Amino acid sequence: MQVQELVTLVPWTIVAQICNLFLQVYLIKRFLFKPINEMLAKRKAMADAQIADAEKAKNEAQAMKAEYEADLANAKDKAGEILATAQKTAAVRSDEIVKAAQAQAAAMKTKAEAEIEQEKKKAVNEIKNEIGGMAMDIAGKVIEREINEEDHRKLIDQFIENVGEQS
């Protein structure tokens, strides 16, 4: 019987195993690592593109937000201007109404004063006529003679002056 050695080094086996190892490494590299690396590169490119798209969308959203805020500020400014204009218009209109009412009141006052003055003159003239008649009667009785028209006027004027001074 022959004893077989448990560990033996056979040079041709070592060379065959090394060649087999290189062949396996080459095949793995060519058919496994290269496609996997290509697939990883594609995934990375796709992820980078998605990140770039997200950044672009974010920038667009920020631009839209800034534009919206600017439009909102412009709308608030316009609303403030419209409100200020309306207030000014209302103030001017109320001033005009007040002035018109004051003018109307002044006109009514002037008219009333004119009417009062006219009524006063009318009343004075009526009183003159009555007093004149009374004065003629009294003068006629006192003097017992008839007074002519000119004397009559003089007496009336004197009497009115005396009455005007007393009142």
Side-chain angles (χ1 to χ4, degrees):
M1 252 195 89
Q2 203 181 24
V3 177
Q4 193 176 11
E5 292 183 28
L6 287 172
V7 176
T8 57
L9 291 173
V10 181
W12 288 107
T13 306
I14 293 174
V15 171
Q17 285 179 349
I18 290 174
C19 287
N20 188 16
L21 179 66
F22 283 128
L23 181 64
Q24 285 178 359
V25 168
Y26 172 74
L27 289 175
I28 288 173
K29 188 177 178 182
R30 174 161 175 121
F31 293 111
L32 186 62
F33 286 142
K34 198 172 186 181
I36 289 175
N37 285 336
E38 288 176 1
M39 185 178 67
L40 289 176
K42 285 180 184 177
R43 286 183 118 186
K44 184 180 183 224
M46 187 171 67
D48 289 342
Q50 287 178 348
I51 290 172
D53 289 343
E55 286 291 327
K56 182 179 176 184
K58 180 181 173 184
N59 290 338
E60 288 177 1
Q62 287 176 344
M64 287 175 66
K65 179 183 174 187
E67 182 179 344
Y68 171 75
E69 288 174 351
D71 289 344
L72 185 62
N74 287 339
K76 284 182 180 179
D77 291 341
K78 286 182 182 179
E81 289 174 7
I82 290 171
L83 183 61
T85 303
Q87 287 174 344
K88 287 178 184 176
T89 303
V92 167
R93 182 70 180 136
S94 82
D95 288 344
E96 289 174 356
I97 290 171
V98 167
K99 286 179 182 176
Q102 288 174 344
Q104 187 177 12
M108 289 174 69
K109 182 180 176 185
T110 305
K111 183 178 177 184
E113 288 174 352
E115 286 177 2
I116 290 170
E117 190 64 35
Q118 186 178 8
E119 288 296 321
K120 186 178 175 183
K121 286 180 182 179
K122 185 178 176 185
V124 167
N125 286 336
E126 286 177 6
I127 290 174
K128 274 184 183 181
N129 290 335
E130 285 181 25
I131 292 174
M134 283 189 219
M136 276 183 68
D137 290 341
I138 293 171
K141 287 178 182 178
V142 170
I143 299 177
E144 292 185 15
R145 66 179 178 95
E146 185 100 5
I147 300 175
N148 64 10
E149 188 68 28
E150 187 177 323
D151 292 337
H152 181 279
R153 289 284 171 211
K154 286 180 186 178
L155 286 173
I156 291 174
D157 289 339
Q158 285 176 354
F159 181 75
I160 290 175
E161 286 178 17
N162 291 336
V163 171
E165 290 174 4
Q166 290 175 1
S167 62

